[in-house]
Amino acid sequence: MNCIIKQISCMPKVRSSSDMDCREIKHAFAVKGQRFCYQIAFSSVECIDLGIEVISPLKEHIKLYTVDNAVMDMPVSPLYSDSDFITRSPGVMPDILTPVNSCDFPLHIVNSVRALWIDVNIPKDLNSGSYNIDILITESDMVSGDKQTKTCSLGIDVIDAELPDAEVIYTQWFHGDCIADIHHVEIYSEEHWKYIDAYMKTAADLGINMLLTPVLSSSLDVAVGVVRPCTQLLDITKSGSKYSFGFEKLKRWISLCQKNGIEYFEISHLFSQAGLKYSPCIKVIENGKESLAFGWHVPAHDSSYKEFLEQMLPKLMTFLENEGVAGKCIFHISDEPAKEHLEAYRYAHSIVKPLIGNCMIMDAISDVSFYENGFIDCPVTAIDHLDEFLDKKVQHQWAYNCCVQHVKTSNRFMSMPAYRNRIIGLQMYKYDIKGFLHWGYNFYNSQYSRYKINPYITTSSDMAFPSGDPFSVYPSADGPLASTRARIFFLALQDIRICKLLEKHIGKRAVIDLIESEAGMEISFTQYPRNSDFLPDISEKLISELKKYI
């Protein structure tokens, strides 16, 4: 064959023929309910067409994607970085997972390297045993018409154990206004709801089980004075000093989440970002006219906003309780307050906490004093600031990363090797992190939402953040397309579930010892093996160890 073909793990980002100089895979272990991912890489110096056919008893559970290039306009920040990047130069990076089926082929290879991504979704009710997956690849010479066929075979041994449900809660901030903007539909029109449904479905497929729910419009990632399009789910009417609330949109939102398997609800922030200085932008109908009753013109400490919250939150809690989801809700006050905002947070907490029953308050913080003062039940801490919180043995400790975590830590930037993304799973397992938050599921704006961006032209919010930080899915006519980064993070979460499964038999300490023995080091948030083989290998090792107890 004129085309070089190699079956490899899902970890390498295949940009050139040298990226194919990695281990070929022929066999794998899996448990029931697991998603196993791998790639077939192709390299050719000629113009060829490739036909693809799947032959396997698991065929109906296999999905194929081409791994397509995305623009990487800002690989790294000039302010923060270490040496562990694939490249520091702008260009393209394989990142977009475009679904394919047999009618979409042939796959064109024109003096280039491409990859096919394969998801094998092992059913929970599958009989244990050995299963073969044969991918038949037919190469057609575009000049002579001659054809040759090669078969890439993978054997999967499915053992008689079932992957447990996820215990870790995972949210990536869901930006409903960006969905409306990028698809050119009116907010909460039927077309918008159709896309919201599609983006929720993909979110759940990527392991997201909590969704940012805009009871009030988002006050996130917006410059002072800028108003993001209104996505508040509450219909609010004012008569005199009394407010009344319509919950129809919120009810529909909750129903769609539940339909797509999203279990938890993250109630949107009740005070502005960057210091709790203002109320969120809130639209209210009074005397038949809708206006922006709260926003940048209303200070957070204004008595009118306090009176609004004292009426709104009890009504909201009654609704959530009647819907049976109050116990699945967590509330935000303000994102990333700093130490100088402690008193402002104290004031906001004194209003909100008495009105939300047993619901917890969670916010992204790096200063432990907010937790020590009892203001935050569930601290969401940047992974490079976790040590101080871990010393406090916080019961509901979460973690996050974003544009700032460049040095030694895990992150999902396009320019990073995939192992820096996936290692977070073993780190979270070792340190008993209860949840993970990332801000950019589908943020298709510039920094501070000053203007819209095209995510197929800039993946950095127009040079604001390292490429890959603002969003994990790409828009298409039918809904979102997942990125390889999002799929790799799903595998990180799945690694935790595999660890939990083995832990039932040998205990957590033994699982950690096994992992660190294979790693040849103690795992921390800054120390871990820097190669593409370790994480697939440790997953295999954990499952093969599990076989001893089945």
Side-chain angles (χ1 to χ4, degrees):
M1 298 182 82
N2 295 322
C3 182
I4 299 172
I5 300 173
K6 194 170 185 180
Q7 186 169 269
I8 60 177
S9 85
C10 62
M11 299 299 288
K13 297 184 180 183
V14 183
R15 306 173 71 222
S16 66
S17 57
S18 63
D19 295 318
M20 296 174 63
D21 294 336
C22 55
R23 187 175 62 197
E24 192 161 14
I25 62 168
K26 295 289 187 180
H27 181 268
F29 289 105
V31 297
K32 299 175 183 182
Q34 181 182 344
R35 177 180 294 162
F36 183 81
C37 304
Y38 66 105
Q39 298 178 97
I40 298 176
F42 308 90
S43 176
S44 176
V45 296
E46 300 180 2
C47 301
I48 60 171
D49 284 344
L50 297 177
I52 311 291
E53 182 182 1
V54 178
I55 299 176
S56 174
L58 298 175
K59 182 175 181 177
E60 64 180 297
H61 308 293
I62 295 172
K63 294 183 179 180
L64 305 180
Y65 305 83
T66 55
V67 185
D68 296 322
N69 283 329
V71 173
M72 185 176 63
D73 51 327
M74 185 176 168
V76 297
S77 167
L79 300 177
Y80 312 96
S81 60
D82 60 21
S83 61
D84 194 11
F85 287 82
I86 296 170
T87 179
R88 307 175 74 86
S89 301
V92 295
M93 185 66 72
D95 192 52
I96 307 168
L97 292 176
T98 305
V100 295
N101 55 54
S102 58
C103 67
D104 291 315
F105 289 103
L107 179 66
H108 302 291
I109 309 290
V110 183
N111 190 25
S112 63
V113 175
R114 296 193 69 181
L116 190 71
W117 181 285
I118 301 102
D119 278 352
V120 185
N121 296 292
I122 310 294
K124 289 184 177 181
D125 60 355
L126 187 73
N127 291 330
S128 58
S130 298
Y131 296 85
N132 287 330
I133 300 171
D134 293 326
I135 310 288
L136 275 59
I137 302 163
T138 301
E139 176 186 327
S140 299
D141 188 296
M142 295 175 68
V143 177
S144 67
D146 293 342
K147 295 185 177 182
Q148 302 178 69
T149 298
K150 177 179 179 178
T151 301
C152 289
S153 297
L154 180 75
I156 296 185
D157 285 345
V158 179
I159 71 170
D160 193 17
E162 184 178 322
L163 199 66
D165 292 338
E167 295 179 15
V168 169
I169 303 175
Y170 171 41
T171 180
Q172 265 197 289
W173 281 344
F174 193 95
H175 301 275
D177 57 335
C178 292
I179 295 173
D181 286 340
I182 203 74
H183 292 286
H184 308 291
V185 297
E186 184 180 345
I187 289 176
Y188 297 137
S189 63
E190 287 304 312
E191 292 87 353
H192 191 210
W193 282 113
K194 180 189 75 172
Y195 282 114
I196 288 171
D197 188 10
Y199 277 74
M200 285 181 178
K201 180 179 180 181
T202 299
D205 187 59
L206 295 172
I208 292 170
N209 54 9
M210 171 182 271
L211 214 66
L212 182 63
T213 298
V215 170
L216 305 176
S217 287
S218 176
S219 58
L220 297 165
D221 304 294
V222 60
V224 175
V226 172
V227 178
R228 288 181 67 166
C230 178
T231 54
Q232 72 182 46
L233 290 165
L234 294 190
D235 293 318
I236 306 171
T237 303
K238 186 180 182 185
S239 178
S241 61
K242 300 296 183 184
Y243 293 93
S244 58
F245 303 93
F247 294 97
E248 291 79 9
K249 293 188 189 78
L250 179 55
K251 184 178 182 69
R252 185 170 184 177
W253 180 279
I254 291 170
S255 177
L256 280 179
C257 285
Q258 292 173 331
K259 168 198 161 193
N260 286 299
I262 295 170
E263 184 179 359
Y264 300 95
F265 303 91
E266 187 184 0
I267 306 303
S268 54
H269 300 72
L270 298 173
F271 292 80
S272 68
Q273 205 172 25
L276 303 89
K277 294 180 180 179
Y278 306 98
S279 62
C281 294
I282 304 170
K283 287 191 174 181
V284 175
I285 296 174
E286 187 173 13
N287 297 323
K289 294 183 179 180
E290 185 178 72
S291 66
L292 205 60
F294 299 97
W296 301 113
H297 60 293
V298 180
H301 61 265
D302 193 279
S303 60
S304 65
Y305 187 54
K306 179 175 183 289
E307 291 163 6
F308 170 80
L309 290 176
E310 287 174 341
Q311 293 186 50
M312 186 271 286
L313 288 173
K315 294 289 187 183
L316 174 62
M317 287 305 303
T318 298
F319 170 79
L320 297 173
E321 288 162 3
N322 289 340
E323 292 296 306
V325 298
K328 302 289 187 178
C329 293
I330 299 181
F331 282 74
H332 283 294
I333 288 180
S334 178
D335 186 48
E336 293 187 314
K339 191 166 188 175
E340 61 266 29
H341 306 134
L342 188 64
E343 289 309 309
Y345 203 96
R346 184 193 305 273
Y347 167 78
H349 181 272
S350 71
I351 298 171
V352 173
K353 187 61 175 178
L355 301 174
I356 60 172
N358 294 322
C359 291
M360 289 194 293
I361 290 174
M362 68 180 290
D363 271 318
I365 54 167
S366 297
D367 191 299
V368 76
S369 58
F370 288 85
Y371 173 74
E372 290 177 319
N373 278 275
F375 300 152
I376 294 180
D377 308 296
C378 180
V380 187
T381 307
I383 55 177
D384 53 349
H385 287 82
L386 267 170
D387 287 348
E388 192 173 6
F389 288 80
L390 294 173
D391 289 343
K392 301 294 181 183
K393 301 189 184 304
V394 178
Q395 184 178 0
H396 302 287
Q397 182 67 62
W398 281 43
Y400 79 92
N401 56 25
C402 65
C403 56
V404 178
Q405 284 70 51
H406 294 69
V407 180
K408 296 184 179 180
T409 59
S410 171
N411 218 315
R412 62 176 77 197
F413 305 151
M414 285 185 184
S415 56
M416 285 182 170
Y419 57 75
R420 288 190 72 172
N421 183 350
R422 186 171 171 179
I423 190 62
I424 193 69
L426 298 186
Q427 293 167 336
M428 289 173 66
Y429 174 73
K430 177 177 178 178
Y431 293 101
D432 199 26
I433 303 300
K434 303 298 186 184
F436 194 88
L437 182 153
H438 186 272
W439 73 280
Y441 177 63
N442 64 316
F443 185 71
Y444 305 137
N445 290 341
S446 69
Q447 187 178 24
Y448 303 129
S449 299
R450 297 183 187 277
Y451 49 89
K452 305 173 184 64
I453 59 95
N454 182 337
Y456 286 96
I457 294 176
T458 172
T459 48
S460 66
S461 286
D462 199 8
M463 307 298 286
F465 314 110
S467 288
D469 191 40
F471 57 86
S472 292
V473 296
Y474 295 81
S476 76
D478 298 324
L481 302 178
S483 63
T484 61
R485 293 169 292 111
R487 194 65 105 238
I488 290 292
F489 194 88
F490 172 90
L491 296 179
L493 298 174
Q494 186 172 257
D495 289 342
I496 300 173
R497 296 161 69 191
I498 293 171
C499 289
K500 291 281 188 180
L501 183 57
L502 181 57
E503 179 185 319
K504 293 177 182 178
H505 298 278
I506 66 174
K508 181 169 183 173
R509 184 67 256 172
V511 174
I512 294 171
D513 288 345
L514 188 155
I515 292 168
E516 295 186 334
S517 173
E518 293 294 313
M521 65 181 74
E522 290 187 12
I523 301 293
S524 72
F525 284 100
T526 55
Q527 180 172 281
Y528 46 90
R530 304 281 179 147
N531 66 75
S532 293
D533 291 333
F534 170 69
L535 287 160
D537 285 354
I538 198 63
S539 177
E540 293 272 296
K541 180 71 175 179
L542 293 169
I543 295 172
S544 61
E545 184 73 14
L546 183 64
K547 284 180 65 179
K548 300 176 182 178
Y549 304 94
I550 302 303

